[in-house]
Amino acid sequence: MPILYRYIIRETLAVFLATNLILLAILLSFRLSTLLAAAAAGNMALSAVWMLIGLQAVRFLVILMPLAFVLAAVMTLGRLYRDHEISAALACGIAPRHQTRALLACAIPIGLLLLTLSMSVLPRVYRGQEALRQQAQQEAGMILFTPNTYRRLDDGTIVHTGAIEGGQLRDFFIARDEPDGGHSLILAANGEMLGDEQQRHLLLHDGRRLAWNADHDPAHTTLFTYQHADLRLPGANTLAASSDNRLRNLPTSELGTSPEHLSEWQSRSNPAIALLIYALALPLLARSQPRQGRYQKIVPAFIAFALYINLLDLITIAIRKQQIPPLPGSYWLHGAVLALILILWRQTRSRA
């Protein structure tokens, strides 16, 4: 492999890895704060937060890899133009197509890795994430109630339990504000947590309910007893995920020929195909004059690639809604972009 190829590949991969790590750290830090807030509110177990972060790192990586490669390639070629290294290469008879070959030597392995993640790994991540989230929410149902500890729920409701024995809550009460401005106090000798990942609720036994208005008027104070009461917990389903059979959770081998399944198939393959096609255009987009800055071409190249990806997403959504035929579907856009790139390369050679 020529020295120029190795040099461009090394510089591009170094920037690519650094960009992925930085952007991934930023996204995961924001996601971590959201999950920790959910754990503090009692909507999931704290032990599941780090496992969810690990699973979501794979999901974010699939999104970031094409963007990071575009940034890395344009930054690398921009520095070569600024330092006149590309001018020296051209003076030595090295044609611009060698830049494309070097970038393709980076883009092909990255594209194959991206395709593997999208087709095989990511559906497993989604399924694992759903299962882990549901398990964490179920475990959080009992974490809400620590013996002899007051806990405040999302809407300000205060809960307390005296003891937990065999999954049963003993000496339990709830203090809450009513929508009409009044207040209520619910007491129970015992209770238990019921429900699923969509909704948690308490089944209370042998208790009393005391309610009064904001003015503490005895005439509007009520007290009654009950044998059984079903009470929904506020904020329990804040992060509950849908348990239906989502297309994104299906293994690629189980995708059929319906418009919805073909749309999902194209959604999984589009990032890798777009990365390989766009790599052909990066030497053209990164071309700059000797006095231009290193990062001057980053914004136009990034905006063009973002427009490309967003158009692919819009097409797959239209296929899912059966607004356009699934075939050729989004592949016609790949063909159009590839044809445009080839035309630009031909015009560049004719002017050279």
Side-chain angles (χ1 to χ4, degrees), residues 259-340:
E260 294 81 5
H261 286 203
L262 290 176
S263 171
E264 180 63 23
W265 177 278
Q266 295 178 33
S267 296
R268 298 180 186 184
S269 61
N270 278 339
I273 298 175
L275 174 64
L276 295 176
I277 292 177
Y278 201 73
L280 300 173
L282 290 176
L284 297 174
L285 298 175
R287 182 174 299 177
S288 60
Q289 300 300 322
R291 294 181 179 273
Q292 289 181 334
R294 174 182 179 182
Y295 306 109
Q296 189 168 347
K297 298 294 185 176
I298 290 180
V299 174
F302 185 82
I303 291 177
F305 186 70
L307 180 62
Y308 184 13
I309 293 295
N310 287 331
L311 286 176
L312 290 173
D313 291 338
L314 291 176
I315 293 174
T316 54
I317 292 174
I319 295 173
R320 189 166 303 171
K321 295 180 179 179
Q322 300 184 12
Q323 296 176 347
I324 61 175
L327 293 176
S330 59
Y331 296 129
W332 71 264
L333 182 59
H334 293 304
V337 173
L338 179 60
L340 178 61

Side-chain angles (χ1 to χ4, degrees), residues 62-74:
V62 173
I63 299 174
L64 293 176
M65 285 176 61
L67 302 176
F69 178 78
V70 171
L71 293 176
V74 176

Side-chain angles (χ1 to χ4, degrees), residues 98 144 209 227 253 289 306:
H98 292 283
L144 271 176
R209 181 181 185 274
Q227 290 185 343
S253 59
Q289 300 300 322

Side-chain angles (χ1 to χ4, degrees), residues 1 4-14 102-103 105-106:
M1 181 180 292
L4 179 64
Y5 284 29
R6 296 198 301 268
Y7 183 61
I8 294 177
I9 291 172
R10 183 176 65 251
E11 294 295 323
T12 302
L13 289 180
L103 291 181
C106 293

Side-chain angles (χ1 to χ4, degrees), residues 29-103:
S29 64
F30 284 108
R31 191 57 185 159
L32 178 61
S33 63
T34 302
L35 293 176
L36 289 176
N43 292 325
M44 67 168 50
L46 183 61
S47 59
V49 170
W50 294 108
M51 296 183 67
L52 283 173
I53 284 294
L55 292 174
Q56 293 188 5
V58 179
R59 173 189 172 190
F60 290 145
L61 192 61
V62 173
I63 299 174
L64 293 176
M65 285 176 61
L67 302 176
F69 178 78
V70 171
L71 293 176
V74 176
M75 291 175 64
T76 299
L77 294 180
R79 187 179 66 81
L80 295 179
Y81 274 105
R82 186 199 63 180
D83 296 340
H84 307 288
E85 294 178 89
I86 294 295
S87 300
L90 294 175
C92 294
I94 300 177
R97 65 176 179 272
H98 292 283
Q99 303 173 33
T100 305
R101 294 176 182 176
L103 291 181

Side-chain angles (χ1 to χ4, degrees), residues 90 94-97 287 344-352:
L90 294 175
I94 300 177
R97 65 176 179 272
R287 182 174 299 177
L344 293 177
W345 270 111
R346 185 173 181 178
Q347 292 179 349
T348 302
R349 289 182 181 180
S350 64
R351 292 196 301 264

